[in-house]
Amino acid sequence: MVTSTSFYQEPQAAVPFRPGALVIVTLTSPREKYWGAILHLSAEGLSVRGIDVSSFDDLSSQIKNGEPFTSGVIFFPMHRVERMELDLPEGNLLSLAQRFAQKTGQDPAALLVSEFLTTAGEISGGEKLR
C-alpha cells in the first residue's frame, strides 16, 4: 500500500548539510580546500573533522598501510567559508569518500565522526542532532 501525502501536510525538508555529512569546503584568506565531516554548522562558523584536500592521498595511504587514523578538528569562521559542497560523485568520477573507501576498505564517515557523533543521531554530549 502506498501512503499519500495530503496537500495540506507539510513535507519534511531534507537537510543535506547536517552533522556527519561529508563535504568539501573551499575557504578564502588564504585559499584552501578541506574534505571532511561536518560536526557543527552555525551562523558563527563550521566545525569539521577532516584534512586539507592536498593531503588526501597521503591519508588514504596511511590508513591502507595500517597506520593510526589522524585527522584534525577544525573550526572555520563563516567569513572564511566561500563554498561548501556535499562530497558526491559526478558522472564517472568517484567522490573522495568513495575513493577513500575503495583504497582503504574503510568507511570514511565512520572514521571522521566516530569520536564526536553517535549513530543514534546525537552528539557525544547527548545533544540531539537536528
Side-chain angles (χ1 to χ4, degrees):
M1 179 174 160
V2 177
T3 60
S4 64
T5 303
S6 168
F7 176 78
Y8 299 103
Q9 290 177 332
E10 189 173 325
Q12 295 294 326
V15 182
F17 296 100
R18 66 188 180 285
L22 295 177
V23 295
I24 299 169
V25 182
T26 304
L27 305 162
T28 61
S29 301
R31 185 147 176 96
E32 300 173 281
K33 268 193 172 182
Y34 273 82
W35 170 76
I38 296 173
L39 299 178
H40 186 74
L41 177 61
S42 68
E44 291 80 25
L46 171 67
S47 296
V48 176
R49 182 169 191 203
I51 58 165
D52 189 294
V53 170
S54 64
S55 301
F56 178 82
D57 289 326
D58 293 335
L59 176 67
S60 298
S61 295
Q62 286 177 322
I63 301 299
K64 183 178 179 179
N65 294 333
E67 295 179 36
F69 176 70
T70 56
S71 172
V73 175
I74 308 152
F75 174 79
F76 299 117
M78 200 50 77
H79 72 271
R80 284 207 58 214
V81 177
E82 178 181 309
R83 175 185 167 109
M84 180 169 53
E85 60 187 283
L86 291 176
D87 180 23
L88 299 172
E90 290 188 32
N92 293 333
L93 298 176
L94 298 176
S95 69
L96 291 177
Q98 289 171 321
R99 288 178 44 203
F100 183 91
Q102 193 174 58
K103 191 169 186 177
T104 66
Q106 296 189 39
D107 177 10
L111 283 174
L112 291 169
V113 302
S114 63
E115 296 174 39
F116 301 96
L117 304 176
T118 68
T119 56
E122 294 181 352
I123 298 174
S124 56
E127 178 184 334
K128 287 279 185 195
L129 298 176
R130 294 178 230 172

